[in-house]
Amino acid sequence: MEAMPPNSASQDPPAHHAESLARALRASDDEQLLELLRLRPDLATPPPTDAAVLANRAMARASVARACEDLDSFTLTALEALVLLDADEHEVTVRRLAEFLGQDVTEQQVISRLEVLRARALVWGGQDSLRMVSTVRETTRAQPGGLGAPAADLSEQRAHELLGELDDEERRVVDKLAGASPLGRTGEVRRDAKRGERPTPIQRLLDRGLLLRRDEETVELPRQLGLAARGPQHPMGEVETAEPTLELTEHGQERIDGAASGELLELNRHVELLLDSWGQDPPDVLRSGGIAVRDVRRTAKELNITESRAALLAELVVAAGLVDTSGEEDPQWVPTVRADTWLACSPEQRWSALAASWLDLPRLPGLMGARDERGRLLGPLSEGLRRPNAAGERRRVLELLDEQPSGHGVRRDADVAAVLAWRAPRRGGSLRDETVHWTLSEGITLGVVAAGGLTSGGRALLAGDENAASEVMGRAIPDPVDHVLVQADLTIVAPGRLEPELAGEMDLVADVESAGSATVYRISEASVRRALDAGRSSEQLHELFRTRSRTPIPQGLSYLIDDTARRHGRLRAGTASSFLRCEDPVVLTEVLGRSDLGGLALRRIAPTVLISPLPLEELVDELRAAGYSPVAEGADGGVLDLRPSARRIRGRGRYGGRPADPSGPGHPNEQQLAERVRTLRAGDQAANVRGNTLAPEKGRPSANATLELLRDAARNGRSVWLGFVDTQGGSTQRIVQPVSVGSGVLQGFDTSREELGNFPLHRITSVAVVEG
């Protein structure tokens, strides 16, 4: 028999629950109301006018579901126990709740969980009078506590008696369904035993009414029998009262930061290479968005990295605003002008820009390679990777690491997933555990996580301080070295991060063979020619290695430079449209005599000079393809660097922007929350006294009527109830003792704030005199 997941149910909450909750809210002090609005900010917008309005909002199904998202496993279990005890229909005692949660749960533990629920207005009442918001039942599992629906006409005592009458086979079925889910799928629901056959355990239980038929393939264990099978010690099953313990290893913060610094430098190097590659040959934007698999493979091959790392780099450079789509008919992924600024920054500043963008990225790069609900492959930069809660879930993982002692790292990703699952079982969805693994893996690549621990830079980023993150990681990065080690096999070892100037020269004259804490370059004829093409002379290359190498220069390297330089530049190209000159006329005669170079349309104008109608770049490329080594010559006779310049576009800044400000319109700040509490108190006060008031005018009061009523109240020292629109456009209420009325303003003593205030007359929507 196959266990089945539960389904949800829905029902309308009775009206008297809102009245009871409103009374409890009125009895709360201001700090308790403030905490409620902090924990459930959706209740504060728009500002509630009184406790009745707040109570109705607090009972809304969607709001209750949001309030339960951050509850831990133990608290949710306690809430489900209240559902099973029907705390939405009658009062329940703390002792009864503790007993129902099992013998391993103490009353003090239950009280601590109830405080969490009270703070969120999901539960109210005293030790012997607990009540629960009725809509909680709609947001819990259809089988709370893993227990089925109650069977009609089956008492608890009878359930225990029937349990004792079961044979071993029947008991095994009951015990299985008394576990996590009371639902089971089986083909025996429809099948009756044939004549002469002994009925199966499921058929016997069905015949006796100890299993309930839900459909043609589903059975459900009645709640009474499930409770009897679990016994009085564990009515709610195994209750996890504490979160799992993380197994930590102490590394030391210096070691963690040191390991991350290597990843930081490698990340910077790969991003720099990607920007250079895409600046020369930008990949196309697919019609559906994203980047083609072939372009990812090409980039991975050029950078000598895995395709998965190339895909992640693509997400990072777009997230940081270093690459964007060009505004053309056939758009491409092109580096932006922001990329040049990034390239000019220090390594730690480069890193902080990338890491901060990743931290706030509203996408899940880990989904790359999976398929969506339509079976389409999710590729890098595609819209299918967007997940609004991705940044929040990423922060949850890193904040857990931040809670651990400095210099300690977790041993297993699964432990982190288990802790987060206990802290908020309803958050993360089906990808919760995968998101933990992706975050830790990407964090290592980004240098935010190392050895299972959070780096100093990662802690600063979580606090929102990119500058501090750059500073602390800058101290962890080893000082750049000013020398290399040239070896006999024409490899060059950089024993650390090179100074920028030396690194640029090495990239020009040699190719990276392997990277890491020590980078290995290989010098070849092609790389030497590249340096000569860029304007370096053989003397400059000899000087470079003579002054920068801590090892003797091998003779083979000197020969390689000299031989390449001897053949290089014998031909001099210029513009006629372009010209070709050489001190040796024989070489020019050889060029003129080659049939495969007839397309250059060369003609001799002097023994040492040929001219061509082709552009200079095309002339040089054709001659190099034919095996010659010409260099381009400028008007002053100097060497021209014909390498194409990198393409740049303006771009739109960081992908998706920064996270929403928690103090924005959707989440009021502390001052705004305090104002809402004062408005609520004023509304409650007004509700208490309006039974003895003159009824306010229907609709908006006229100016004359308002002035007359307010002036009369000021002369006679009477309080008035005001309804008005505040500066944010929200409706609010006040009990005010008018002092003076004039110049379009009512000046009066605000009883809720206990201070003198000004109320513009044009904002007043209703007014009434408080009697008595």
Side-chain angles (χ1 to χ4, degrees):
M1 184 168 56
E2 178 185 354
M4 292 181 58
N7 297 317
S8 59
S10 176
Q11 61 184 38
D12 294 329
H16 69 274
H17 286 167
E19 299 172 5
S20 178
L21 178 57
R23 287 194 297 270
L25 292 173
R26 291 190 192 100
S28 303
D29 59 36
D30 288 357
E31 184 54 42
Q32 289 172 326
L33 290 177
L34 271 173
E35 182 64 13
L36 170 61
L37 297 183
R38 291 189 196 106
L39 294 171
R40 298 177 65 177
D42 59 302
L43 303 183
T45 305
T49 54
D50 55 31
V53 172
L54 183 63
N56 277 299
R57 288 185 192 173
M59 295 185 67
R61 188 182 188 280
S63 180
V64 169
R66 281 193 294 270
C68 292
E69 284 184 355
D70 291 325
L71 297 180
D72 61 49
S73 180
F74 184 22
T75 307
L76 283 174
T77 301
L79 200 58
E80 290 191 354
L82 288 171
V83 171
L84 293 170
L85 294 173
D86 298 324
D88 53 340
E89 298 177 4
H90 54 75
E91 295 177 347
V92 174
T93 66
V94 172
R95 174 169 294 183
R96 174 64 182 132
L97 176 59
E99 291 173 351
F100 198 73
L101 286 170
Q103 64 179 7
D104 299 329
V105 180
T106 66
E107 282 193 32
Q108 191 57 44
Q109 289 175 319
V110 172
I111 290 172
S112 69
R113 296 302 91 197
L114 289 174
E115 289 306 312
V116 173
L117 297 173
R118 284 194 185 97
R120 289 167 171 76
L122 298 173
V123 167
W124 71 95
Q127 294 283 91
D128 299 324
S129 57
L130 291 176
R131 297 299 304 275
M132 178 190 71
V133 169
S134 58
T135 43
V136 167
R137 185 180 294 274
E138 304 173 29
T139 62
T140 57
R141 296 179 290 173
Q143 290 80 31
L147 295 168
D153 303 326
L154 181 61
S155 65
E156 292 185 12
Q157 181 178 355
R158 181 56 181 158
H160 281 87
E161 293 174 356
L162 291 172
L163 190 68
E165 298 172 3
L166 300 179
D167 60 30
D168 292 343
E169 291 180 327
E170 295 167 344
R171 183 59 189 263
R172 280 195 292 271
V173 173
V174 170
D175 287 343
K176 182 176 182 179
L177 294 178
S181 173
L183 299 179
R185 192 185 301 275
T186 174
E188 299 179 28
V189 178
R190 292 174 296 174
R191 189 179 70 197
D192 297 324
K194 295 180 180 179
R195 186 173 182 179
E197 287 185 359
R198 183 171 183 266
T200 66
I202 293 176
Q203 291 170 337
R204 297 198 297 270
L205 291 170
L206 285 168
D207 292 341
R208 297 169 63 183
L210 299 183
L211 283 181
L212 307 177
R213 288 181 172 88
R214 289 306 175 210
D215 58 38
E216 293 183 343
E217 295 182 344
T218 308
V219 295
E220 182 175 2
L221 184 71
R223 181 178 301 174
Q224 298 94 325
L225 200 59
L227 288 171
R230 290 180 178 182
Q233 291 81 15
H234 300 98
M236 291 291 291
E238 294 296 328
V239 178
E240 295 180 280
T241 59
E243 69 178 42
T245 303
L246 283 175
E247 190 173 350
L248 303 177
T249 302
E250 185 174 2
H251 302 289
Q253 194 62 46
E254 185 176 349
R255 181 180 174 187
I256 290 177
D257 291 347
S261 67
E263 295 290 345
L264 177 157
L265 295 173
E266 193 73 348
L267 173 69
N268 285 345
R269 187 177 72 85
H270 287 153
V271 170
E272 183 176 351
L273 292 174
L274 182 144
L275 293 175
D276 180 64
S277 173
W278 287 14
Q280 304 294 338
D281 186 11
D284 294 329
V285 178
L286 298 178
R287 289 184 179 180
S288 57
I291 180 175
V293 174
R294 66 177 181 275
D295 289 318
V296 174
R297 289 174 178 168
R298 173 178 65 85
T299 302
K301 185 176 181 180
E302 289 180 1
L303 274 60
N304 194 26
I305 57 177
T306 63
E307 292 180 20
S308 60
R309 185 177 179 92
L312 178 59
L313 291 180
E315 289 283 339
L316 290 177
V317 294
V318 173
L322 308 182
V323 170
D324 208 338
T325 56
S326 60
E328 303 169 348
E329 184 176 347
D330 297 318
Q332 295 178 307
W333 294 105
V334 183
T336 67
V337 292
R338 188 186 183 103
D340 293 322
T341 304
W342 182 86
L343 289 168
C345 292
S346 63
E348 60 271 19
Q349 290 172 328
R350 292 184 180 186
W351 167 81
S352 65
L354 295 171
S357 299
W358 168 76
L359 188 63
D360 300 325
L361 181 64
R363 300 166 58 80
L364 282 180
L367 279 174
M368 289 183 290
R371 296 189 179 273
D372 62 12
E373 60 278 0
R374 297 183 181 180
R376 295 174 300 188
L377 191 68
L378 297 176
L381 304 176
S382 65
E383 192 61 25
L385 299 184
R386 180 177 289 275
R387 294 292 188 278
N389 63 341
E393 293 305 307
R394 192 176 295 120
R395 283 181 174 271
R396 285 185 67 220
V397 176
L398 299 179
E399 285 167 356
L400 176 57
L401 299 186
D402 192 24
E403 295 173 11
Q404 310 313 312
S406 177
H408 289 69
V410 296
R411 290 194 173 184
R412 293 176 293 271
D413 294 1
D415 293 347
V416 177
V419 171
L420 294 178
W422 185 91
R423 288 186 177 184
R426 295 193 180 184
R427 287 190 59 174
S430 60
L431 297 175
R432 180 183 60 206
D433 293 352
E434 288 86 348
T435 300
V436 172
H437 173 71
W438 294 334
T439 298
L440 294 175
S441 177
E442 292 166 11
I444 292 172
T445 301
L446 268 292
V448 174
V449 176
L454 197 63
T455 64
S456 299
R459 295 182 192 276
L461 284 177
L462 279 179
D465 194 339
E466 286 188 37
N467 292 331
S470 296
E471 290 181 11
V472 294
M473 292 309 293
R475 292 193 291 269
I477 299 174
D479 292 333
V481 297
D482 61 355
H483 63 276
V484 294
L485 307 174
V486 179
Q487 303 187 103
D489 60 352
L490 298 186
T491 58
I492 304 169
V493 177
R497 177 170 62 100
L498 297 177
E499 291 179 344
E501 180 183 356
L502 179 57
E505 293 297 317
M506 286 297 105
D507 289 337
L508 187 63
V509 76
D511 298 307
V512 175
E513 192 168 82
S514 65
S517 56
T519 303
V520 178
Y521 297 86
R522 179 166 292 280
I523 190 168
S524 63
E525 181 179 347
S527 65
V528 172
R529 187 165 56 244
R530 182 174 66 226
L532 295 172
D533 287 344
R536 304 299 188 274
S537 65
S538 60
E539 291 77 13
Q540 289 174 317
L541 296 182
H542 285 304
E543 179 69 15
L544 171 68
F545 292 115
R546 185 166 51 251
T547 58
R548 295 294 189 141
S549 176
R550 292 287 179 88
T551 56
I553 307 301
Q555 196 174 40
L557 176 57
S558 299
Y559 287 162
L560 175 64
I561 294 174
D562 291 337
D563 289 346
T564 305
R566 188 177 302 112
R567 296 190 302 273
H568 186 272
R570 296 178 66 187
L571 296 177
R572 312 291 290 184
T575 56
S577 284
S578 57
F579 68 84
L580 192 65
R581 70 180 182 88
C582 181
E583 297 300 328
D584 186 353
V586 176
V587 175
L588 294 181
T589 301
E590 177 188 338
V591 172
L592 279 172
R594 290 186 56 164
S595 58
D596 58 331
L597 296 178
L600 299 182
L602 292 167
R603 67 186 180 88
R604 191 189 296 266
I605 60 172
T608 58
V609 180
L610 302 179
I611 61 172
S612 170
L614 298 182
L616 176 61
E617 293 86 351
E618 187 174 343
L619 174 62
V620 171
D621 289 343
E622 290 289 339
L623 289 170
R624 286 176 177 170
Y628 296 99
S629 300
V631 295
E633 186 174 80
D636 59 353
V639 174
L640 288 178
D641 187 354
L642 294 182
R643 291 179 299 173
S645 59
R647 186 178 169 191
R648 293 291 186 265
I649 59 175
R650 182 170 295 278
R652 293 166 291 182
R654 283 186 174 178
Y655 193 120
R658 308 295 288 170
D661 183 356
S663 63
H667 299 279
N669 57 33
E670 284 296 306
Q671 182 179 357
Q672 292 170 326
L673 290 179
E675 173 64 24
R676 281 156 171 73
V677 170
R678 287 192 289 267
T679 299
L680 188 147
R681 292 298 192 197
D684 286 339
Q685 186 180 3
N688 290 333
V689 300
R690 284 182 67 184
N692 299 321
T693 66
L694 299 173
E697 300 179 38
K698 292 182 179 180
R700 186 178 179 87
S702 67
N704 289 335
T706 299
L707 285 171
E708 185 62 30
L709 192 151
L710 293 175
R711 285 169 178 165
D712 182 70
R715 285 192 298 267
N716 298 305
R718 301 166 72 182
S719 297
V720 296
W721 174 87
L722 295 181
F724 69 100
V725 179
D726 60 22
T727 55
Q728 285 77 37
S731 298
T732 186
Q733 302 172 357
R734 289 285 189 275
I735 300 294
V736 178
Q737 293 178 348
V739 175
S740 64
V741 181
S743 302
V745 175
L746 162 66
Q747 186 180 50
F749 185 77
D750 187 340
T751 58
S752 63
R753 297 189 178 189
E754 297 184 351
E755 62 181 21
L756 198 64
N758 293 324
F759 302 88
L761 295 179
H762 70 277
R763 291 186 176 275
I764 295 176
T765 58
S766 54
V767 59
V769 177
V770 177
E771 300 289 351

